[in-house]
Amino acid sequence: MNIVNLNAVCKTYPAFRLKDISFSLEEGKITGFIGRNGAGKTTTIKSMLNLIHTDSGEITYFDLPLSEYEKEIKQRIGYSTGIVSWYPRRTIREITDVTKSFYPTWDEEDYLKYLSLFGLDETKKPIELSEGMKVKFNLLLALSHRAEILILDEPTSGLDPFSRDELLELFEALRDHGVTILFSTHITSDLEKCADNIIYISNGEIKAACTRADFMKTFGRTNEALEEIFLRLEREARS
């Protein structure tokens, strides 16, 4: 069952254009959103969150149009868009207390569980956190209100290899509990570890949206790893 649908979504900037973006997210699956920097991953994700206004197309969640049910939809999803500007001199606990007031489904037990898992100190302030710890804090807020869908822009960016593996294992555990996850990345090893499906975007266009196995079968050559396939496709696109 598809739980998110994008149909012919377009957005034009002076130097870049999203062109008829169409794909679906399957319920209870992890989908890796891959493409080189500047390919359109972040613009697509911002469109999915109504953080930018698209020129045309339709986005639905749970068969509800985002344009009409944004508040209801955002109560049921968690999202992390990478760089977030918090009050730099407020503590994690103070920022959390404000954030949770927006979510009737906030789960304090889950919050404390992820706080411990990510090794975050509630008394710390964003200005005192490393880039990797800021990513973890962003994810902590996204995970603590029983979200049915997680939409994450480069969630492993800035994390050390051990922390990245921990996060990918967490994705797999959440999937096993029925959570749908979309995460963008340019780190192909992340996809190899946990992605069920792959969406590949290049120059503002979706080039593939399928299972990981089908992606390897359709685009791969003999004994090619996922990273080798991705690099070759990008070279061919620019030749």
Side-chain angles (χ1 to χ4, degrees):
M1 175 183 173
N2 294 328
I3 199 168
V4 183
N5 291 285
L6 280 74
N7 183 30
V9 173
C10 297
K11 176 65 178 178
T12 300
Y13 293 103
F16 178 77
R17 180 174 177 241
L18 281 185
K19 307 162 192 172
D20 293 321
I21 300 296
S22 297
F23 61 80
S24 300
L25 299 185
E26 191 177 352
E27 185 175 13
K29 299 292 185 182
I30 299 173
T31 299
F33 191 19
I34 192 171
R36 66 183 299 164
N37 291 337
K41 301 189 300 297
T42 295
T43 304
T44 300
I45 286 176
K46 286 183 175 180
S47 298
M48 293 174 69
L49 299 171
N50 206 26
L51 297 177
I52 60 174
H53 296 298
T54 56
D55 300 326
S56 58
E58 184 180 42
I59 301 169
T60 63
Y61 293 78
F62 318 106
D63 292 325
L64 301 172
L66 178 63
S67 57
E68 297 177 37
Y69 294 92
E70 181 176 357
K71 181 179 178 180
E72 293 90 336
I73 288 169
K74 286 188 174 179
Q75 292 288 338
R76 300 173 66 182
I77 68 176
Y79 52 92
S80 169
T81 54
I83 298 171
V84 175
S85 296
W86 299 292
Y87 291 104
R89 300 187 187 280
R90 295 289 186 180
T91 66
I92 286 176
R93 182 72 253 184
E94 289 173 318
I95 296 168
T96 298
D97 284 341
V98 172
T99 302
K100 73 180 186 180
S101 67
F102 294 97
Y103 295 102
T105 55
W106 183 270
D107 190 320
E108 191 69 11
E109 196 171 298
D110 274 356
Y111 165 75
L112 293 173
K113 178 179 69 178
Y114 294 125
L115 187 76
S116 175
L117 178 65
F118 293 155
L120 288 164
D121 181 347
E122 285 188 302
T123 66
K124 292 283 188 181
K125 303 170 184 176
I127 199 171
E128 300 172 317
L129 300 178
S130 68
E131 291 306 308
M133 294 306 278
K134 288 177 182 177
V135 170
K136 288 184 176 183
F137 179 36
N138 206 6
L139 286 170
L140 169 70
L141 297 178
L143 287 166
S144 295
H145 60 90
R146 300 180 185 173
E148 299 167 59
I149 301 170
L150 291 177
I151 299 173
L152 310 170
D153 190 10
E154 301 280 0
T156 60
S157 176
L159 297 181
D160 61 79
F162 181 78
S163 296
R164 228 171 57 229
D165 282 346
E166 277 189 329
L167 183 60
L168 296 176
E169 287 173 5
L170 173 61
F171 287 174
E172 291 179 305
L174 291 168
R175 173 188 59 195
D176 292 343
H177 285 84
V179 178
T180 302
I181 299 172
L182 172 73
F183 75 99
S184 70
T185 187
H186 57 271
I187 304 172
T188 53
S189 60
D190 289 351
L191 303 179
E192 290 172 333
K193 287 175 182 175
C194 71
D196 301 298
N197 301 319
I198 289 178
I199 298 169
Y200 168 45
I201 189 170
S202 180
N203 195 31
E205 295 183 85
I206 300 296
K207 301 297 185 181
C210 55
T211 67
R212 184 177 64 181
D214 284 346
F215 183 87
M216 300 287 289
K217 182 179 179 180
T218 302
F219 297 99
R221 295 175 179 171
T222 304
N223 297 324
E224 270 190 324
L226 184 57
E227 181 174 6
E228 293 171 316
I229 297 171
F230 173 59
L231 292 174
R232 176 173 52 77
L233 290 174
E234 284 298 307
R235 284 195 298 268
E236 290 172 357
R238 281 154 179 76
S239 62

